[in-house]
Structure formats: structure tokens, C-alpha cells
Amino acid sequence: MSATRMQLLSPRGVRLLSRGRNELLAVSGGVQPGGPRVRSLTSPPLSSSSPGRALSSLSATRRGLPLEKMSENGVASRAKVLTIDTMNPTVKKVEYAVRGPIVQRAVELEKELAEGMKKPFTEVIKANIGDAHAMGQQPITFFRQVLALCSYPELLNDNTFPEDAKSRARCILQSCGGNSMGSYSASQGIPSVRQDVARYVERRDGGVPCDPDNIYLTTGASDGIVTMLKLLVCGEDETRTGVMISIPQYPLYSAALAELGAVQINYYLNEEKCWSLDISELQRALDEARRHCNPRALCIINPGNPTGQVQSRQCIEDVIRFAAKERLFLMADEVYQDNVYADGCQFHSFKKVLYEMGPEYSNTVELASFHSTSKCYMGECGFRGGYMEIINMDEEVKAQLTKLVSVRLCPPVPGQALMDLVVNPPQPGEPSYNNFIKERTATLSVLAEKATLTEQILNTVPGISCNPVQGAMYSFPSITIPEKAIKEATEKGQQPDMFYCMKMLEETGICLVPGSGFGQRDGSYHFRMTILPPTDKLKILLNKVKEFHQNFTQQYS
Amino acid sequence: MSATRMQLLSPRGVRLLSRGRNELLAVSGGVQPGGPRVRSLTSPPLSSSSPGRALSSLSATRRGLPLEKMSENGVASRAKVLTIDTMNPTVKKVEYAVRGPIVQRAVELEKELAEGMKKPFTEVIKANIGDAHAMGQQPITFFRQVLALCSYPELLNDNTFPEDAKSRARCILQSCGGNSMGSYSASQGIPSVRQDVARYVERRDGGVPCDPDNIYLTTGASDGIVTMLKLLVCGEDETRTGVMISIPQYPLYSAALAELGAVQINYYLNEEKCWSLDISELQRALDEARRHCNPRALCIINPGNPTGQVQSRQCIEDVIRFAAKERLFLMADEVYQDNVYADGCQFHSFKKVLYEMGPEYSNTVELASFHSTSKCYMGECGFRGGYMEIINMDEEVKAQLTKLVSVRLCPPVPGQALMDLVVNPPQPGEPSYNNFIKERTATLSVLAEKATLTEQILNTVPGISCNPVQGAMYSFPSITIPEKAIKEATEKGQQPDMFYCMKMLEETGICLVPGSGFGQRDGSYHFRMTILPPTDKLKILLNKVKEFHQNFTQQYS
């Protein structure tokens, strides 16, 4: 019996595919009453003009027989080679809520508005994704000047560009083959950029040494995370690699683990304690997982996405001790390292804490830390820049990592250039310094304001409860959904919070992501919203959410 | 028995890892006499300070037991979580010769030269990779002007930029969220860029319709190819997906297939007939493969890499007929579509031929075609721009594809902008048109000259035989290696052509890639060299190759 066949017939863990645009593309868990229908293995492919023949052809192909023996009237009646039944089943298991059906519907609504269709709103506000520039955040002038100079070096003769921008551009271009960003770089990244990253990490971590050879530039942080998971995942059945991820999580992790066929080990963050991480919960999750897989890695997102918590130094130390004791490879997603807003909170890198714990830990615990150009005050998502630092990695594995990344040739060079500017921004005394500080400070203080504003307004709504947004770019409030609404959602084959968010979108034009896309404790419901819209628009958005929630609660009470 | 363990112990298909820098990172096939040693499963990890304990700990971990029960003196003696023995075995099977050990040695030699070390040459010339700008090719001015404008829109007020560049930049920015290249785009790519791609494909193919919904922008062509393979590969053992690739091939294909665990089905190009493709050879390869796997896809590179042939219209038609008859998904790697030099040769897209063959084929044969900003006259590798067009893909599979690409958020936006310019360059009457045509023509005629030059000079060398470089950017001459040299290489555990190329690098500073990295008929030897160095340098290079080959032949005769 083939894997595909098994997956479709298995009574447990069946993945259902629906075609309705308002429904989830794939539903975790069992059959939902009234939900999307299961495609029968014996149903003919949609595109076939001769169902009976197509079916026997399909079976023939599965047995590896050439088709022409089955077919009399030639190719026209052929079933497709690649169908939902014959495609890679692990890809079907992948889900990514941040760009899921609700966002597809939001795009449709925008089109409908543009075509003059009447709606109860005049604008779709997308608060589903941490896409700062799309929400009006301005890029850092210096960064863009240098990128323009690197793109079109004729501009180096233009006197309107500041000298420090020109000198940075010259440095970057000198590190590029033929002085062009159009050349491939080394697969690990441009050496001078990796050196600048290393110096940045050393400054950030109060002098803890950083070896540029441990830095790998990446295509956004996602690329680095997936690459590291690729190295780690192996084994079959009860020796299959398990990877611990927080719930709620950023769905890149669950998507990558599904694609790699790894076992996802959920540990739950403590919503009552401001989404903090309890070691006892890590232990519980690990002990349970050890019964059926081989747990090898522990992923942490700090500051948290979607939950916005900032981990204390003590917590990080405890996590490192736990990873050491339990022999887990640590993956620290630290892309929001500059996004810390709450009083008394501070970003501590896993690497710094690891080194402060002494050689017993700093010489042994394996750690990969990820950073990106997409978040913090930069918000340069479109350039797909990022890096990872690997600590205590086995030298032979490192050679394999270097080989693996070489297959994709190199991360985008403009993204590498941007990463270089982020880790090596204008310095005191340089002509662009004051303006850089002004722009950075302005962006970060507005974000801090919006973090407080979001928490405050949401907490005025009965039935919505929101933890402080200590850092990152999101709030993840819990919402009370009335029983009647849960029933209606279930009848529609939707998660109750998907039902809630879809209704909000249709009625208000506000696009949020349901908590079920990130994971949450059974019976609890949430949504993730970014704090990125401009303050005025954010206020409107929050008040519309308030009004919607009140109406929704009334309607279903 | 775990997969890792099996892989290490299996007498067939063992992959050997060597640590010597002059040796292959991974060797295909069986044990080479005197070659790199096999790491014993019972040998302790290198980094352990307590081998015996580390070993028992490792076994404990494999059984899923927590380590601390095994260890008395704590973490310091811990073996690593991730070692060459416990990492993902499919990653170990990946090879990528274009950036393999010979290139690593070339980089070292450059460093040694820079440090003043004495060598028999003053410069390393890298002809290993199709990296045009690194070899001095100049970017198209118009493209870079628009990219600078998009990076730093303040420049839209600068009167030195031509109006058409400004208007293109405005269009691109208007399609970006918040008018910034720093925003994420739609995962499938910016809609207006996909529309421009569709119009380009229609023009290229003489009016054959192209639906923008079938266009997916990618991070270089490699990204698209790997994504398509990911959808296709499934099954276990004799139902495992097989994918047909040409030999010689571009090693992205073998690397991706190894990583996905697919079966690589080799079909050999006919070197005697100018590397053309014989349908009888496709049939032979397919029939053999059907005995042990489920062949589902056929990959074609046209114009050819590394072999430089341009397929005739008739050949493409025959291939399509074959794919239809045998029910194979066609993947057409057409990134060199503008790189055609030889008289009588012309680029025919698979899609155009498919449509000309009538609805029996055009409505049924599933095809993905790949293009990129990295080759042709642009050579903009560093921007990682590309697209794929999918034809006749099942609608449900397409929804899965769209979902899959959303996990990585989006291809780099500067690369998308560049792809847009490639498919929508300056038009007659626009201010930049004449200069654009001048630059494009100059680049392509120099490439044509160098294609001829390469073939001619190489064919003057006894023991080297080079087919005409009809297209693309490489020559792949066959070389005669004396028996004595083959013996010495074998004793060193090296492929004879790796031995040859490594010796050439050490003696002349010329960096080529051995044919074994691309695949070749047993007992034949080749190297791949790009035709990209500037004409003067290319002449020097070719004459050095000539001299080296003569000396090498003499030395080993």
C-alpha cells in the first residue's frame, strides 16, 4: 500500500482538503461534521473526460506500468500525472495560517471594493502579517541610499549622497565579484558581511567572541530555520526526530516540520503568566514525546511571535540548562531582538547567557540563533535578508551545512548588503548618524506606543483579554466565543476562531489571523493582530474590533 | 534499525565522507581503493573528551533515553546532539560540484596569493560557474537605474534619470505594499510582474496565450525547480518517484533528488551527435527504471548546461510525444533561452511547440518551464530573480503549490523587480531603448565570439575534443587521461578528472569543474568551463589549458 493511499484511508490523522474559499485549506485532526468532503480514492480525477478509463490508468501508473497499454483512444482521455491523490503527501500536510484562506479572502474583498462593489466598509485593513512597510513604516534613509548606490554605482559621483553612504557602498561593492551585486556571493555569504555580523554580535553580547566562520547569511530567517531543521530531522517511526516548539507558535515551524516529516512536540506557553515559558511544561512535553519519537531540538522564539512576551534572563538560563540536561539542540529565533517595549524587559541573547553560564555550557550546548532584516526598526521584509550563528556545531556537520547551502548558490545579494547595514549602521561622527538615530528612535517609540495602545483598548472589551505586548509586533488576545457561535462554526466545518475572524473580515474589512493557525490550548480561542498600522488607523481598527466583538457576542448569546 | 545506522552499514550505496580538502566531500558508488576511510559506527565522536562514555551516551540517546542517567561527571563529557552519524542521511547524499572542493581550494589559493605565497601563477581564474558579472560583464544600465530608483525613491526627483526608467520604477513601486520594495509581496509574486511575464511569454511564443495565474515568481530558477520536484516526489521502494535527468546534467537536479529521496533516472546525451537527445535512449532509461521505481517526471535543459547544445524543434516535439505517451510531467529548464550562438540554431520553447502540436497535447501534457534573471544577456545572478510557468496543472495541486510557496513568504522583491524589467525592457521610442539594444547586442555578440573561440582553441589540443558551443555559457570537452594518471587518481581516492582539474588548478590557477560532477559515460572524462572570462583572459586561459594538458599527458605517458 503506497504512502499516499495510506494517508487518504487512515482513520486517524486524515487531512481534509476543501475547495470552498472560506474554509481552511487543510484541517488538522479528524473529520469535521458537515465539513469539506473527503476525496474518495476511487473518484475520478476532475479533469478527465473518461472517468472509468482514467481510473484504471491511474492504477496502472501506480503500479508503474506504461499507460499507453491501457488507453485505446490516445492521450486525450489521459488523467493527469500530478493530482491531489498522487502528489507528495507531506506537502499536503503543510499549513501556513499567516497567508491562509482568510488572507486570500481579504485580497478578493480588496478587488471587489476596487470594482465598486458595496461593502459595510471602505477599506480592508490587513493586520495579519508583520509587514511594516506595507503598513506605512518608512525605510531608514541611509540603508536605502546605500542600496541605491550599490544598484547603480554611477551614483557614487552624485554629490547629494552623504559620504558615509558612499563609503559603505564602496565597501560592499568591493566585496562583490566584478564589483557588482549581480554576481553570486559565496554560498555562506559575503565574507566581509559575515565579519561585520560577527562584530555586531560581539558588541550586542558585551564582548562574547563571535567567529565569522559560524555566521551563515540566509534568505530571511525562515530559510535558516528550515535549513537547520533539515540537518536535524532523520529516523523512522519511534526513532523519528522530534522538535519541540512553543504553542502558540509561528507556523513556519509546524509547516517545516510537516514537510520534513518530523514529529512536532508542543509545549504550551503560560498565558496566565504573560505567555512565559515554564520548565515543568517543557519537561512534561519532552517526557511524553520520548515514548514515541526521538526529541532532538528545542525551538524558542524570543521576543515571542505571536505572543509578544520577552523572556527573562533567568528563564533563558533555565532553558539552556534543560537543553543541556536533555541533550537538545537549541534553536533561538531572535528576529525581534530590537522590538522590546515593556518597562523592566530587556532582550538577552541565548548566546550571551550561554557564555555567562561558563565553559560547562558554553563549550557544549549546540545553538543556532536566527536574525533577519525584516523586523525590528528596519521592517525590510521584501529584501529577504538574514543570518544565523551556529555555536558548538560538530565540524563535519558544519561542512555538510556549507555543502547544503551551496546548492542554492547564495542568498540574495541586496539582502546581504542590507543585513550588512543593519549590523554596521552609521557611527557617531559620521554624516548620517544623527538622522539614522532619529529615524530608528521614532520607529521604535511609535511601536512601543502602539503596543500599549493595543493592550489597553482590547482589555476594555468584555470577552477579550490581552496580555501586555512586551515585545515583537503582535498581540494575541484570548477571546470568548459564545456556545451558539461555536456550534455554527462546527456545522460549517470551521474552527470557531476562523469563523469569528472571517465574520469580522466580511463585516469590518479587518484581516486578523485566528489563533488556531498558531495553536492554542483546546477550548481557548485567540486571534493574532499586528500592532503595525499607523496609530490613527490602529485606533480605528481596535474600536472596530471592539464593536464587532460586542455585536458578535450579542448575536450569538 | 534506524535509517542512519542502516545507511552507514549498508554494503551497497555507502556514502563516504572524507576530510582531506583535496578530496570529494562525498563519493558516489562503492568504496574507492585507498580512498577516504569509512567512519565506523563504533568510533567515538571527535569532540568528546571521554570516548567510552560518549559512546554509551550516544546509544542511550538513540534509544530515546535522557542522557543524564548515563553521565556521572555532568555535561562536559557530552557527545554532540548533531553529528555526522546522527544527522539527516539524505543531506549527506547531496553533492554540488559547481561549488565543490575544487572551488574551495581555489578560494584558499586566492588567499595564499594575497598573503604573498609564491605560486606558479599570479591570478586564480574561475571558470567554474556561470557568474557573468564576476567575470566583468557589465549590467544593463536601464535595469540598474530602475533598481536604484526603486531602492531610494527620492531619486525620482533627479533629472539625470531617463523618464522611462522613472516610469517603470513608479509602476513597480505602486505594486508594492506601502510603495516600498521592503514589503512582502504576494507569495506567488507581484501580480503586475506576473502579468508582464505573461505578456513576454506570449510575445516570445508568437501569440500562444499565457495566463498570469500560471506564473510563479521564484528565488532564481533553482527555487522553482526544487519546489516542483517537492510536489512530485512520493512513494516508497518500488513506488518511489523517479525523475529522468540528462547526463551530463546540472547538479542542482541530482542534489535536489538526493535530498528529496527520489530515484534519479539517467538518460545519456549523445556526445557524438553534438550532445543531442535520442528518444531511444529516453526509452531505454525509462524501461529500465520502471523495474524498480515509478518514473513521473522528465527534466530537460535547453539550451544545455553543461553541454551547450540547442535542441531542434523536431527533438522537442519528439520529447513531448514521449512524455505524453509515457505519462511524464515535463520540466523544461530554459534559463539560457537568449543564449543561442550557432548558425542554424534557434531557441524553441517547450510551451510553443506543445501548443503547435494541437489540443491533443496542449490540453493534456503537464509542463513547468523555468526562467531566471541570472543568465542570458543580464547575468544578474546575485538578485535571485526567476519565474516558472505551469501548464495543465491540476487545480487542486496548484492550490497546494500556492500554499507551499506561501510558507517562505515571497521571493526577494528586488529580484522580482529585475525579472519585471527583463520581460518588459525599454520599447522602441522610449529614451533608453537605443542604449538598451546596444548593450544587449554587445554582450550577446561577445558571448557568441567566445563560444567559437573556446571550441576552436580546445580542438587544437590533441587529447581534447570539444563539441560546438551552440548555446548557454559552457563548453564540456572530453579529455583523454592517460592510464598512469587514472591509476594515481584512483590510489588517491579521486575521480580521474577531479585529479586532473585539481592539478590544473594548483599549477595554472585555472578553476574548472570535473565532468564527474555532472555525470558522464563510464570511462569518459570531461571538464566544464564557462566561456565568460573577458576575451583576452579567455585566450590566456585556453592556452594555459592547452599547455597544461600537453604537460599532463607527457608526464603520465
Side-chain angles (χ1 to χ4, degrees):
Chain A
M1 190 178 262
S2 77
T4 311
R5 196 175 273 253
M6 277 189 64
Q7 200 227 342
L8 284 161
L9 297 182
S10 161
R12 276 170 56 84
V14 160
R15 316 300 285 206
L16 306 175
L17 275 287
S18 81
R19 301 201 193 86
R21 66 185 177 191
N22 288 5
E23 295 167 322
L24 281 165
L25 255 176
V27 182
S28 311
V31 180
Q32 307 281 334
R37 72 185 178 89
V38 187
R39 256 187 83 88
S40 158
L41 192 68
T42 50
S43 73
L46 295 174
S47 53
S48 170
S49 57
S50 169
R53 190 177 309 280
L55 176 62
S56 68
S57 307
L58 195 66
S59 312
T61 309
R62 281 205 177 125
R63 293 196 307 271
L65 301 173
L67 183 81
E68 77 283 10
K69 290 175 190 163
M70 304 293 152
S71 178
E72 284 155 34
N73 65 342
V75 284
S77 70
R78 246 199 344 268
K80 290 195 187 292
V81 176
L82 186 59
T83 67
I84 198 79
D85 294 340
T86 64
M87 68 175 283
N88 183 345
T90 62
V91 170
K92 284 193 271 189
K93 290 185 197 160
V94 169
E95 295 179 42
Y96 187 69
V98 175
R99 294 221 153 171
I102 202 155
V103 185
Q104 288 164 26
R105 180 63 189 141
V107 171
E108 283 175 5
L109 282 172
E110 276 179 331
K111 264 192 209 156
E112 291 173 13
L113 276 178
E115 288 160 6
M117 218 181 274
K118 230 181 131 52
K119 298 281 167 194
F121 48 87
T122 54
E123 184 192 10
V124 173
I125 307 179
K126 288 192 207 152
N128 60 296
I129 188 167
D131 192 1
H133 291 197
M135 292 289 102
Q137 184 180 308
Q138 293 305 302
I140 298 287
T141 304
F142 179 79
F143 293 176
R144 294 308 197 90
Q145 287 174 329
V146 177
L147 287 170
L149 288 159
C150 289
S151 299
Y152 186 50
E154 285 287 307
L155 291 171
L156 287 166
N157 305 317
D158 183 332
N159 292 325
T160 61
F161 282 85
E163 275 311 314
D164 50 354
K166 289 188 187 177
S167 98
R168 278 302 191 297
R170 278 190 206 98
C171 278
I172 292 169
L173 289 172
Q174 277 160 18
S175 313
C176 293
N179 297 317
S180 168
M181 285 209 296
S183 298
Y184 290 121
S185 77
S187 299
Q188 194 173 348
I190 299 172
S192 68
V193 178
R194 292 194 283 114
Q195 277 158 21
D196 286 342
V197 169
R199 282 195 291 260
Y200 160 80
V201 171
E202 288 178 350
R203 282 197 309 276
R204 183 197 68 187
D205 291 344
V208 172
C210 177
D211 182 349
D213 275 353
N214 289 339
I215 304 294
Y216 286 73
L217 295 176
T218 56
T219 307
S222 303
D223 173 44
I225 292 166
V226 173
T227 301
M228 271 311 307
L229 290 173
K230 236 182 227 175
L231 291 179
L232 277 158
V233 174
C234 58
E236 289 301 328
D237 303 324
E238 71 277 19
T239 69
R240 194 75 189 147
T241 294
V243 177
M244 304 186 74
I245 64 171
S246 63
I247 297 294
Q249 55 122 7
Y250 175 56
L252 167 71
Y253 290 91
S254 51
L257 295 176
E259 203 185 312
L260 292 166
V263 178
Q264 174 180 323
I265 306 171
N266 296 337
Y267 65 88
Y268 289 84
L269 299 175
N270 190 336
E271 183 163 13
E272 284 65 46
K273 286 199 205 156
C274 207
W275 296 115
S276 63
L277 191 161
D278 295 339
I279 298 297
S280 59
E281 167 61 11
L282 284 182
Q283 191 74 59
R284 177 206 62 77
L286 184 72
D287 292 346
E288 278 185 31
R290 281 232 161 89
R291 291 183 211 138
H292 59 89
C293 71
N294 181 14
R296 302 185 70 203
L298 167 55
C299 301
I300 307 278
I301 312 175
N302 178 49
N305 174 9
T307 38
Q309 83 285 14
V310 177
Q311 291 187 335
S312 68
R313 200 195 164 288
Q314 184 58 50
C315 174
I316 293 170
E317 197 174 315
D318 293 344
V319 169
I320 292 172
R321 228 179 281 280
F322 178 82
K325 176 171 80 83
E326 300 291 352
R327 292 182 42 69
L328 297 168
F329 193 107
L330 266 175
M331 290 179 55
D333 180 340
E334 298 178 320
V335 299
Y336 298 99
Q337 54 190 263
D338 291 331
N339 296 109
V340 176
Y341 317 117
D343 282 345
C345 285
Q346 196 189 330
F347 172 73
H348 303 275
S349 79
F350 266 76
K351 183 182 176 198
K352 180 167 190 252
V353 177
L354 179 65
Y355 274 74
E356 287 169 355
M357 288 167 72
E360 189 187 343
Y361 293 91
S362 66
N363 290 343
T364 61
V365 174
E366 294 151 80
L367 168 68
S369 159
F370 307 91
H371 196 18
S372 154
T373 59
S374 304
K375 310 298 168 186
C376 300
Y377 63 92
M378 304 79 82
E380 295 275 16
C381 314
F383 281 81
R384 314 307 297 121
Y387 77 80
M388 59 179 175
E389 181 184 8
I390 49 166
I391 316 281
N392 290 322
M393 182 179 270
D394 177 272
E395 282 302 318
E396 287 179 299
V397 176
K398 206 168 140 185
Q400 292 287 325
L401 169 60
T402 305
K403 179 194 71 177
L404 181 62
V405 297
S406 78
V407 177
R408 293 295 187 94
L409 296 160
C410 69
V413 174
Q416 296 188 48
L418 193 53
M419 194 76 245
D420 191 47
L421 299 169
V422 170
V423 297
N424 184 21
Q427 298 303 307
E430 289 186 333
S432 303
Y433 180 72
N434 288 342
N435 192 50
F436 166 71
I437 294 293
K438 203 180 100 196
E439 290 178 348
R440 185 179 67 173
T441 310
T443 298
L444 289 175
S445 11
V446 170
L447 283 171
E449 261 173 50
K450 293 194 283 195
T452 311
L453 186 74
T454 303
E455 177 203 344
Q456 282 173 350
I457 299 187
L458 288 177
N459 279 329
T460 64
V461 189
I464 296 189
S465 169
C466 180
N467 270 320
V469 182
Q470 297 174 335
M473 298 178 164
Y474 317 97
S475 71
F476 195 72
S478 109
I479 48 175
T480 306
I481 299 186
E483 277 307 318
K484 236 165 101 181
I486 294 174
K487 195 163 165 276
E488 192 171 322
T490 310
E491 281 164 13
K492 281 190 154 189
Q494 282 187 338
Q495 295 289 338
D497 48 14
M498 170 62 90
F499 174 78
Y500 175 97
C501 288
M502 199 59 93
K503 215 164 158 55
M504 191 190 303
L505 175 63
E506 296 287 347
E507 291 179 14
T508 67
I510 294 169
C511 179
L512 308 178
V513 189
S516 46
F518 304 89
Q520 53 201 352
R521 285 202 181 270
D522 280 350
S524 76
Y525 303 106
H526 300 79
F527 59 74
R528 185 184 87 162
M529 65 167 276
T530 73
I531 60 167
L532 293 174
T535 310
D536 285 356
K537 205 175 261 186
L538 183 64
K539 280 182 190 161
I540 296 171
L541 185 155
L542 288 165
N543 284 310
K544 279 183 162 196
V545 169
K546 184 176 184 165
E547 200 186 340
F548 169 80
H549 188 85
Q550 286 163 343
N551 294 342
F552 182 89
T553 306
Q554 204 168 15
Q555 189 188 342
Y556 288 98
S557 286
Chain B
M1 192 177 261
S2 77
T4 311
R5 197 175 273 250
M6 277 188 63
Q7 199 227 342
L8 284 160
L9 297 181
S10 161
R12 276 171 56 85
V14 161
R15 313 301 285 205
L16 306 175
L17 275 288
S18 80
R19 301 203 191 87
R21 65 183 178 193
N22 287 6
E23 295 165 322
L24 279 165
L25 254 176
V27 182
S28 311
V31 179
Q32 305 282 334
R37 70 185 179 88
V38 187
R39 257 188 83 90
S40 158
L41 191 67
T42 51
S43 73
L46 293 176
S47 53
S48 170
S49 57
S50 170
R53 190 177 307 282
L55 176 60
S56 68
S57 307
L58 195 65
S59 312
T61 309
R62 282 206 175 124
R63 293 195 308 270
L65 301 174
L67 184 80
E68 77 283 9
K69 292 177 189 161
M70 304 294 151
S71 177
E72 285 155 34
N73 65 343
V75 284
S77 69
R78 247 200 344 268
K80 290 197 187 289
V81 176
L82 187 59
T83 67
I84 197 79
D85 294 340
T86 65
M87 69 175 283
N88 183 344
T90 62
V91 169
K92 285 192 273 190
K93 290 185 197 161
V94 168
E95 294 179 42
Y96 188 68
V98 174
R99 294 221 151 169
I102 202 155
V103 184
Q104 288 165 27
R105 179 63 189 142
V107 171
E108 283 175 5
L109 282 171
E110 277 179 330
K111 264 192 209 158
E112 290 172 13
L113 276 177
E115 287 160 6
M117 217 182 275
K118 231 181 132 50
K119 299 279 166 195
F121 48 87
T122 54
E123 185 191 10
V124 173
I125 308 179
K126 289 191 206 151
N128 60 296
I129 188 166
D131 192 1
H133 291 198
M135 292 288 103
Q137 184 181 309
Q138 292 304 301
I140 298 288
T141 304
F142 179 79
F143 293 176
R144 295 308 197 90
Q145 286 173 330
V146 178
L147 287 170
L149 289 159
C150 289
S151 300
Y152 187 51
E154 285 287 307
L155 291 170
L156 288 165
N157 305 318
D158 184 331
N159 292 327
T160 60
F161 282 85
E163 274 311 313
D164 50 352
K166 288 187 189 179
S167 98
R168 279 301 192 298
R170 277 191 208 99
C171 277
I172 292 169
L173 288 173
Q174 277 161 17
S175 313
C176 294
N179 297 317
S180 167
M181 285 209 297
S183 298
Y184 291 120
S185 76
S187 300
Q188 195 174 345
I190 299 171
S192 67
V193 177
R194 292 193 284 116
Q195 277 159 19
D196 286 342
V197 169
R199 283 195 290 261
Y200 160 82
V201 171
E202 288 179 350
R203 282 197 309 277
R204 183 197 69 188
D205 292 344
V208 173
C210 176
D211 182 349
D213 275 353
N214 289 339
I215 303 294
Y216 286 73
L217 295 175
T218 56
T219 307
S222 304
D223 174 44
I225 291 165
V226 172
T227 301
M228 272 311 307
L229 289 173
K230 236 181 228 178
L231 290 179
L232 278 158
V233 174
C234 59
E236 291 301 327
D237 304 323
E238 71 277 17
T239 69
R240 193 75 188 147
T241 295
V243 177
M244 304 187 73
I245 63 172
S246 63
I247 297 293
Q249 55 123 6
Y250 174 57
L252 168 71
Y253 290 91
S254 52
L257 295 177
E259 203 186 310
L260 292 166
V263 178
Q264 174 180 324
I265 305 171
N266 297 337
Y267 66 89
Y268 289 84
L269 300 175
N270 190 338
E271 184 163 15
E272 284 65 46
K273 287 199 205 156
C274 206
W275 295 116
S276 63
L277 191 160
D278 295 340
I279 299 295
S280 59
E281 167 61 10
L282 283 182
Q283 192 72 59
R284 176 206 62 77
L286 184 72
D287 291 347
E288 278 186 29
R290 282 234 161 87
R291 291 183 211 138
H292 60 89
C293 71
N294 181 15
R296 304 185 69 202
L298 167 55
C299 301
I300 307 278
I301 312 174
N302 177 50
N305 173 10
T307 38
Q309 83 284 15
V310 176
Q311 291 187 335
S312 68
R313 200 195 164 290
Q314 184 59 50
C315 174
I316 293 170
E317 198 175 315
D318 293 344
V319 168
I320 291 172
R321 229 179 280 279
F322 177 82
K325 176 171 79 85
E326 300 292 352
R327 292 180 43 68
L328 297 168
F329 192 107
L330 265 175
M331 291 179 54
D333 181 340
E334 300 178 319
V335 299
Y336 299 99
Q337 54 191 262
D338 291 333
N339 296 110
V340 176
Y341 316 118
D343 282 345
C345 285
Q346 197 190 331
F347 171 73
H348 304 275
S349 80
F350 267 75
K351 183 183 175 198
K352 180 167 191 250
V353 177
L354 180 65
Y355 274 73
E356 287 168 357
M357 289 167 72
E360 189 187 343
Y361 294 91
S362 66
N363 289 343
T364 62
V365 174
E366 294 151 79
L367 167 69
S369 158
F370 306 92
H371 196 18
S372 154
T373 60
S374 305
K375 311 297 167 186
C376 300
Y377 63 91
M378 305 79 80
E380 296 275 15
C381 314
F383 282 80
R384 314 307 297 119
Y387 76 79
M388 59 178 176
E389 182 184 7
I390 49 167
I391 317 280
N392 289 322
M393 182 179 271
D394 178 273
E395 282 302 318
E396 287 179 297
V397 176
K398 206 168 139 186
Q400 293 287 324
L401 168 60
T402 305
K403 180 194 69 177
L404 181 63
V405 297
S406 78
V407 178
R408 293 293 188 94
L409 296 160
C410 69
V413 174
Q416 295 188 48
L418 192 53
M419 194 75 245
D420 191 48
L421 299 169
V422 169
V423 296
N424 184 21
Q427 298 303 307
E430 290 186 331
S432 303
Y433 179 73
N434 288 343
N435 192 50
F436 166 71
I437 294 295
K438 203 180 99 196
E439 291 178 349
R440 185 180 67 175
T441 310
T443 298
L444 288 175
S445 7
V446 169
L447 283 171
E449 262 174 49
K450 293 193 284 196
T452 311
L453 186 75
T454 303
E455 177 202 345
Q456 282 173 349
I457 299 188
L458 287 176
N459 279 329
T460 64
V461 189
I464 295 188
S465 169
C466 182
N467 270 321
V469 182
Q470 297 174 335
M473 299 178 164
Y474 317 96
S475 71
F476 195 72
S478 110
I479 48 176
T480 306
I481 298 185
E483 277 306 319
K484 236 164 101 179
I486 294 173
K487 193 161 168 276
E488 191 171 323
T490 310
E491 282 164 12
K492 282 190 155 190
Q494 283 188 338
Q495 296 288 339
D497 48 14
M498 170 62 89
F499 175 78
Y500 174 96
C501 288
M502 198 59 93
K503 216 165 156 54
M504 190 190 307
L505 175 63
E506 296 286 348
E507 289 179 15
T508 67
I510 294 170
C511 179
L512 308 178
V513 190
S516 46
F518 303 89
Q520 54 200 353
R521 286 201 181 271
D522 280 350
S524 76
Y525 303 107
H526 300 79
F527 59 74
R528 184 185 87 163
M529 65 169 277
T530 73
I531 59 168
L532 293 174
T535 310
D536 286 356
K537 205 176 262 187
L538 182 64
K539 281 184 189 159
I540 295 172
L541 185 156
L542 288 164
N543 284 311
K544 279 185 163 195
V545 169
K546 183 175 185 164
E547 199 185 340
F548 169 81
H549 188 84
Q550 286 163 342
N551 293 342
F552 182 87
T553 305
Q554 203 166 18
Q555 188 187 342
Y556 288 98
S557 286

